[in-house]
Amino acid sequence: MELYADDLHERGKISQILNRIANYQGGVEPNISENYQSSPKKGFEQVKLGTLLGVYLPTIQNIFGVLLFIRMTWIVGMAGSIESMGIVVICCCTTFLTAISMSAIATNGVVPGGGSYFMISRSLGPEFGGAVGVLFYLGTSVASSMYIIGSVEILVKFIAPALSIFGDVNEEANAFNAYRIYGTGILIILALIVFIGVRFVSKFAALSLACVILSILCIYIGIFAATEDDNVKICYLGDRLLTSAIAETNGVFTCSKDNYTTLYNTHCFNNTCDDYFNEHTTRVVDGIPGLSSGVFHANLHNRYTEEGKIIGTEDRGKRAYGEIVADITSSFMVLLAIYFPSVTGIMAGSNRSGDLADASRSIPTGTIAAILTTSAVYVTSVLFFAGTIEGDLLRDKFGESINGGLVVAKLAWPNEWVILIGSFLSTLGAGLQSLTGAPRLLQAIASDGVIPFLNVFGVTTKRGEPFRALLLTALISELGILVANLDMVAPIITMFFLMCYGFVNMACALQTLLRTPSWRPRFKFYHWILSLLGLALCVTLMFISSWYYALVAIGVAVCIYKYIEYKGAEKEWGDGIRGLAMSAARYSLLRLQQGTPHTKNWRPQLLVLMKLEDDLSPKYPQMAAFASQLKAGKGLTLVNSVIEGKYMERFNDAQTAKQKLNKTIEQFGVKGFADVLVSENVAVGMCHMIQNAGLGGLRHNTVMIGWPYGWRHDHNERSYKVFLEAVKNINSGQMALLAVKGINLFPSSNEKLKGTIDVWWIVHDGGMLMLLPFLLKQHKTWKHCRLRVFTVAQLEDNTIQMKKDLEMFMYQLRIEAEVHVLEMSNSDISAYTYERTLMMEQRTEMLKQMKKQNVKEVQSIVDQSRVTTVSPTKIQLEPVQEESQQGPESTTDEEKLEIHQYTFTPGAAKVRPPVSNNGKAGDYLQIKPDSSYNGVHNKKPDKKNIRRMHTAVRLNEVIIEKSHEAQLVILNLPAPPKTEAGELNFMEYLEVLTEGLDRVLMVRGCGNEVITIYS
C-alpha cells in the first residue's frame, strides 16, 4: 500500500473508520451532562430500555392526563357525540401525522441523548431549532401548572371540599383562590422532589402509570356494568337540572315542590312563587342509565351554552335557584383548544432516546402504538359517555347535581374512590414528569449556545441537576397556577405544542422535498404529503382554537428566531433550512439571469477590491464602512482581495485573509460576501476577480477601488500599475468604477455628518453621479447633508439656460439639490502649470532611463529641476482630445463629443471646431526655460500634456474654491490612457485634480443609463 502511504497516514485506515462507526454515539450532540440520560456508576453497565418500557408506557402515561377525568364528559355533553368525535379525530390525526414525521426524523441516523429538541433543531437549524425548543419548553412548563391545577381541583372539589379555606368551593372565586394556595404548595413540594433527584421521580412514574391504567380499566368496567337500578339520581325542574343542594332537604334527596322542601323555599316567598316554578313540575332522572337506555340518540347534537346561561339552554340562570349555570362560553373552537392537551405528550419516548437500546426502532414503534392505543380509548370514551350518561349530567362540569361528585368517578366500578385517588395520583405524576423534563430541556437549549441570554441556565450542580433552569420552570408554572382556571391554561399549552408539532412536520416535509443527501430514514411509512397535511392541521387548529393565542405564540417564535439570527448563530448542523435556502437561491439566480435589469431597478452591485497588509488584515477597512453606507443593506456587496503567490503554497494564508475580511464586513455591518484569490500576479488576479466574481445573474456592476497612496515616492512602478490595470479592466468590462481617495478620513457608520455633498458633473455618465449621492443620503451618516450639483460652462454656452435645464432635470429625477453652473474660460496657461507639466515629464523620462540604465539619482535630478526658473510664457488653452493613435483629422463623432469634457449640454451637443494652433498634434511649445542641465532636463513639455495639466489645475482651483468645506466631493474620473506611455502622466493629472480635498469619490460610469426621469 505504499502508493497510498501518505493518505493512510493523514486520513486513517479503513479498519479505524469502521471501528468508529460501530461505536458511534451521535453525529452532533448537544452539550449534555445529565440532561436526558444519567451516567452509570463505574463498574456497572447502564441498562438500556426497549420499546415497551422505554417508549410505549411513558408515552401513554404522558398522553392520558387530567383532562380525561375532569373535562372529557363535559366536552361530550356540550359538543354532542358527533362533534366530540370530530374534535377527538382531528386532534388524534394531528398527533398521529406528527408521530409519523417524527419517526422518519428519529430513524434518519443515530439519535443521541437530547430527544425531540435534538431532532427538531438538527433538522431545522439553530434559528428554528432554538425557537421550537423554547416553545416546547414553555409548553412543558405551563403543562406542569395545568396538571397541578387539575390535581388541586380533584382534591378540593371532589375528594375533600372541606379543605377550601375561602368558603363554599362551588363559588368560582373561592375555588380559584383555593387552587392558587394549594397549587403553590404542591408546586414547591414537587420542585423539591425534582431537585433531590430523578430516582424518586422515576419510581413515582411507575405508580402513576399504574394508577392511570387501573382507572381507565375501572371506567370501562363501570360503563358495561351500569344499570338503571343502581346509579345516581338527578333532579329536574321542568327541563332545568338542579344542584343537589336544592334537590336535598336536610341531607335527604327529595326533588319535590312540597312546601317543606329546599326547592320550594328557594322559589317561593310568602306563599308566592315565581312563574317558572308554578308552570313546571319536578322529576327524578337516572344520571347514568347505561348503554341500553337509548340516551345516545339524545346526546348526538351539540348544546353549546353561553356564559351565565343555564347549561344546554338559552335562558339566563340564577345560582340562587339551584340552576347550574355555564362558567364559560362553549363552542367547537373553545372545546378543541381545551381538549388538545389531552393528546400531547407524544414526544415522551423520544425524550428518553439516550436510555434506549435502539432508539431508531423503538421511537417509531412505541410512539405510534401509544397514539393508536390512546386514540382508541378517547374515541370509545366519547361513544360510551354519550351512550351511558344523561346529557345534562355530562354538561354538569363540576358535578353540582350529584353532590359535587366527579361524573367519571360515579361511572367507575367498583367505587368512585378508585378514580378519585387514581386520577389525583396520576395527575401529580404527570406534573412531576413535566417539572423534571422542562428544566433539562432548557439546560440542553442553553448548552447549545444558540440563545445567548439563556446561557446562564446551562449551569448544573455537582450532581448534574439543572437547578437554575428548575427555578425558572417553577416560576413559569407558578404564573400558570395563579391563573387558576384550567380552561384558560389549556389553550396556552395547545398553542405551544401545536407550534412544536407543526415544525416537526415542516422539517420532515422539507427534508423529503429537497432530497437532502443525508435524508435516508429507516422508517418508510412516511410521505411529504402527510407531513404537509400535519403542518396544515397544526396551523389550522391554532387559529381555530384561539387566533389571538396563536398570534402570540407565532410572535414569540419569530422574536426568538430573529434574536438568534441577529446574534449570529455559528452552529452548522446540516439542517434542512440550509437546503431550502440553496433551492431558493438557485431559483432566484435563474430568474435574475433571464435579462438585464431595467434602468428603474438599477442599483450599484458592489465589488470592493480590498488591499491587504502583511499580516493579511485589510489595509483600509473603512472602505467596507463606506460600501455599507452606500448600499444600506440592499443588493449585492462583494469584498474581495488578491494575494500574490502560488495557490498550493498560500492556501492557508488565503483562508486566514478570508476570515479577517469576514470579520471586517461583520464589524461594519456589510450585508455581503468575502473572498480571496491567490495569483502569481496581483494585477492578473484582480482582472480575474473583476471578470468572474459573483454567480449567474448575481454579479457586480460596480467596482470600488482605493487610491494608490504614495505612488510618487515608490520606485516600484507596480504601486500605480495595479491601480491603472484595474481601472482599464473595469472600463473594458463596461462596469461602473468608484475610486476612493482619502478613505481614512471617511466617517464611520455611527457618525452623523452635516454639510454638503458636492457633485462636479463634468461628463455625462448615465446619471451615475446623480444616483450615488441619493443612495448615500439614505444612510443615517449622510442623511442630513445637502446635495449640490456643479457643472462647468464654456464661453459659447448659455449659462442661464444651462442652469434652468439642469434644475428641470433634477426636478424630474425627484432629487433635491442646489444647482450651480460655473464658467471656466480659456485663460492663459500660467507658469505654475508649465512647471508642473515639465516636472511630470522629466520624472517620466527619468523612470524610463532608470529602467534601462539602473540609474539611482532620482532625488538629485528632482532637486535640480525644482530650482529651474521658468519664463512667464502665456499660452492659449485649446480643447483636449483623448489620447489616440490617430491624428486630429480622423476624429470620429464620438471623440468630438468628448472634446468638451467640462461642458454640460442638456440638449443636443454643440460641437465647436477645434481651434487651429498653426501646428500639428505633438508639436512642442516654443518655450526656452532657463536651465543648466542637459538630456532629460532639456526636454520640452508636450503641448497636449500642458493642456491636460491646465485643465486639472484650473478645475482643482474651482473645486477648492467652491467645495473646500464639503463633506464629500464626487467628480468624474477621466478616461484612462490607452497607451502605456501616458500612465504616469494620468496619475499626475488625478493627483493635481484632487489636491487639497479630504474626501473624494472619483466616478466613471458603466456606459449605460442608470437613472431615469420616468416612473
Side-chain angles (χ1 to χ4, degrees), residues 81 252 420 669 847 851 936 1010:
S81 58
V252 179
L420 292 176
L847 291 176
K851 269 187 174 181
V936 172
V1010 300

Side-chain angles (χ1 to χ4, degrees), residues 714-960:
D714 194 340
H715 302 323
N716 187 355
E717 65 178 7
R718 196 180 71 171
S719 60
Y720 68 89
K721 280 278 188 181
V722 172
F723 173 80
L724 282 175
E725 286 295 321
V727 171
K728 291 179 180 179
N729 291 327
I730 295 166
N731 195 51
S732 300
Q734 295 183 348
M735 302 176 192
L737 169 64
L738 308 180
V740 186
K741 188 177 181 184
I743 187 61
N744 290 329
L745 300 176
F746 274 64
S748 66
S749 296
N750 296 325
E751 296 182 48
K752 293 184 179 180
L753 300 182
K754 290 185 178 181
T756 62
I757 298 176
D758 287 359
V759 176
W760 286 84
W761 195 11
I762 312 300
V763 179
H764 181 59
D765 55 356
M768 192 73 178
L769 265 70
M770 303 297 115
L771 182 62
L772 290 177
F774 171 77
L775 295 177
L776 273 178
K777 282 172 62 65
Q778 307 305 306
H779 194 273
K780 63 180 181 180
T781 300
W782 305 92
K783 185 176 182 180
H784 301 289
C785 292
R786 293 179 293 108
L787 177 60
R788 298 194 300 179
V789 179
F790 294 88
T791 190
V792 179
Q794 290 189 346
L795 290 177
E796 67 274 14
D797 294 322
N798 187 335
T799 307
I800 298 176
Q801 186 61 41
M802 280 183 66
K803 185 173 183 180
K804 289 181 179 179
D805 292 344
L806 185 54
E807 287 175 345
M808 177 59 66
F809 182 56
M810 299 304 297
Y811 174 78
Q812 291 174 338
L813 289 177
R814 289 91 64 197
I815 297 177
E816 295 183 6
E818 296 179 18
V819 173
H820 300 272
V821 178
L822 306 178
E823 293 184 1
M824 198 171 77
S825 60
N826 292 335
S827 58
D828 294 337
I829 298 176
S830 65
Y832 172 75
T833 301
Y834 181 82
E835 183 178 5
R836 289 292 296 262
T837 309
L838 184 61
M839 290 173 58
M840 176 186 71
E841 292 192 351
Q842 289 175 353
R843 184 178 186 280
T844 303
E845 189 64 30
M846 283 189 300
L847 291 176
K848 288 181 181 177
Q849 292 186 13
M850 286 174 61
K851 269 187 174 181
K852 297 178 181 179
Q853 305 174 9
N854 293 324
V855 179
K856 298 182 179 179
E857 300 176 355
V858 180
Q859 192 61 43
S860 62
I861 297 176
V862 171
D863 293 342
Q864 187 175 4
S865 66
R866 282 179 178 171
V867 299
T868 304
T869 58
V870 184
S871 59
T873 308
K874 303 285 186 178
I875 304 174
Q876 185 69 25
L877 177 66
E878 293 184 9
V880 181
Q881 300 182 29
E882 295 286 342
E883 286 187 348
S884 175
Q885 300 296 333
Q886 301 174 334
E889 298 83 3
S890 60
T891 303
T892 64
D893 291 339
E894 292 183 1
E895 290 171 339
K896 289 178 181 178
L897 286 174
E898 291 189 3
I899 290 175
H900 298 273
Q901 293 188 30
Y902 42 84
T903 301
F904 167 74
T905 308
K910 302 176 183 177
V911 181
R912 183 169 55 88
V915 179
S916 175
N917 195 40
N918 297 324
K920 298 179 181 179
D923 287 350
Y924 298 117
L925 297 175
Q926 302 299 318
I927 301 174
K928 297 180 179 179
D930 183 13
S931 62
S932 58
Y933 49 86
N934 299 320
V936 172
H937 308 290
N938 291 330
K939 187 173 178 66
K940 297 179 181 179
D942 185 89
K943 196 183 300 182
K944 290 183 178 179
N945 290 342
I946 294 178
R947 296 186 189 119
R948 291 189 174 95
M949 182 62 74
H950 178 73
T951 302
V953 170
R954 287 287 293 121
L955 271 176
N956 178 256
E957 291 174 354
V958 177
I959 293 173
I960 291 292

Side-chain angles (χ1 to χ4, degrees), residues 172 305-309 316 325-330:
E172 189 176 78
T305 309
E306 294 182 10
E307 182 181 358
K309 293 185 178 181
R316 302 298 300 182
V325 179
D327 60 332
I328 65 170
T329 299
S330 56

Side-chain angles (χ1 to χ4, degrees), residues 274-505:
D274 61 75
D275 294 339
Y276 190 85
F277 182 81
N278 292 328
E279 294 171 1
H280 296 83
T281 60
T282 59
R283 55 191 173 96
V284 178
V285 177
D286 295 324
I288 307 176
L291 289 173
S292 60
S293 63
V295 295
F296 182 81
H297 181 74
N299 291 328
L300 277 176
H301 303 290
N302 70 70
R303 299 289 292 274
Y304 297 128
T305 309
E306 294 182 10
E307 182 181 358
K309 293 185 178 181
I310 300 172
I311 56 172
T313 70
E314 295 295 327
D315 302 326
R316 302 298 300 182
K318 295 181 179 179
R319 289 189 176 275
Y321 286 175
E323 297 164 346
I324 300 176
V325 179
D327 60 332
I328 65 170
T329 299
S330 56
S331 66
F332 182 85
M333 297 182 291
V334 171
L335 298 184
L336 183 67
I338 293 174
Y339 171 75
F340 188 81
S342 295
V343 297
T344 59
I346 62 174
M347 294 184 176
S350 63
N351 287 341
R352 295 168 174 253
S353 56
D355 298 327
L356 300 175
D358 187 356
S360 297
R361 178 173 300 174
S362 297
I363 290 177
T365 306
T367 303
I368 292 177
I371 291 175
L372 291 176
T373 302
T374 54
S375 299
V377 171
Y378 284 133
V379 169
T380 53
S381 66
V382 169
L383 298 176
F384 288 147
F385 290 163
T388 306
I389 305 172
E390 180 67 30
D392 283 328
L393 182 56
L394 287 172
R395 289 182 281 276
D396 186 4
K397 183 190 293 187
F398 303 113
E400 296 177 73
S401 62
I402 52 174
N403 285 313
L406 187 60
V407 176
V408 173
K410 297 293 184 181
L411 178 64
W413 178 92
N415 191 281
E416 62 179 310
W417 284 100
V418 175
I419 301 299
L420 292 176
I421 300 300
S423 61
F424 177 72
L425 292 177
S426 65
T427 305
L428 281 182
L432 194 60
Q433 291 287 341
S434 297
L435 282 177
T436 304
R440 283 159 175 75
L441 175 60
L442 178 62
Q443 197 266 334
I445 298 171
S447 298
D448 267 347
V450 296
I451 306 178
F453 71 84
L454 291 181
N455 290 345
V456 52
F457 298 105
V459 180
T460 59
T461 63
K462 294 180 179 179
R463 295 182 293 108
E465 294 295 328
F467 177 66
R468 296 180 181 178
L470 176 61
L471 290 179
L472 180 62
T473 303
L475 177 61
I476 295 173
S477 182
E478 176 63 18
L479 294 177
I481 291 172
L482 292 178
V483 174
N485 190 339
L486 187 68
D487 300 324
M488 297 294 292
V489 175
I492 299 175
I493 303 169
T494 298
M495 291 304 121
F496 289 136
F497 278 110
L498 280 173
M499 285 282 290
C500 184
Y501 295 166
F503 279 117
V504 172
N505 288 296

Side-chain angles (χ1 to χ4, degrees), residues 4-200:
Y4 298 98
D6 292 339
D7 289 338
L8 289 173
H9 176 71
E10 293 180 4
R11 304 183 182 182
K13 300 178 181 178
I14 295 296
S15 59
Q16 296 172 340
I17 302 299
L18 292 175
N19 182 57
R20 293 175 186 172
I21 294 175
N23 296 285
Y24 182 67
Q25 295 297 322
V28 186
E29 297 191 24
N31 301 321
I32 302 173
S33 52
E34 289 185 0
N35 301 350
Y36 295 90
Q37 56 185 13
S38 55
S39 301
K41 294 182 179 179
K42 293 182 179 180
F44 295 91
E45 185 178 355
Q46 186 181 12
V47 178
K48 294 291 186 178
L49 300 175
T51 302
L52 181 65
L53 296 178
V55 181
Y56 179 73
L57 292 178
T59 305
I60 282 182
Q61 180 189 1
N62 277 266
I63 293 177
F64 284 138
V66 63
L67 296 175
L68 173 64
F69 300 108
I70 64 177
R71 289 293 184 271
M72 193 66 189
T73 54
W74 174 71
I75 291 173
V76 174
M78 285 295 183
S81 58
I82 296 177
E83 293 187 24
S84 297
M85 185 66 68
I87 291 173
V88 171
V89 169
I90 290 173
C91 294
C92 290
C93 284
T94 303
T95 55
F96 182 74
L97 293 174
T98 303
I100 291 177
S101 299
M102 187 181 69
S103 298
I105 297 173
T107 57
N108 187 46
V110 179
V111 181
S116 53
Y117 164 68
F118 176 87
M119 292 188 297
I120 297 170
S121 60
R122 269 55 180 182
S123 296
L124 294 177
E127 292 89 356
F128 277 108
V132 175
V134 171
L135 290 174
F136 192 32
Y137 164 74
L138 292 174
T140 308
S141 300
V142 178
S144 66
S145 65
M146 181 190 74
Y147 291 129
I148 292 174
I149 294 172
S151 64
V152 174
E153 183 174 318
I154 294 172
L155 177 66
V156 177
K157 279 271 189 181
F158 307 116
I159 295 179
L163 291 177
S164 177
I165 56 179
F166 295 98
D168 185 7
V169 74
N170 290 321
E171 293 292 333
E172 189 176 78
N174 296 339
F176 287 167
N177 288 330
Y179 297 167
R180 295 183 179 103
I181 298 298
Y182 288 112
T184 302
I186 291 177
L187 173 63
I188 293 172
I189 295 172
L190 295 183
L192 288 175
I193 292 174
V194 172
F195 176 69
I196 291 172
V198 296
R199 292 185 180 180
F200 178 81

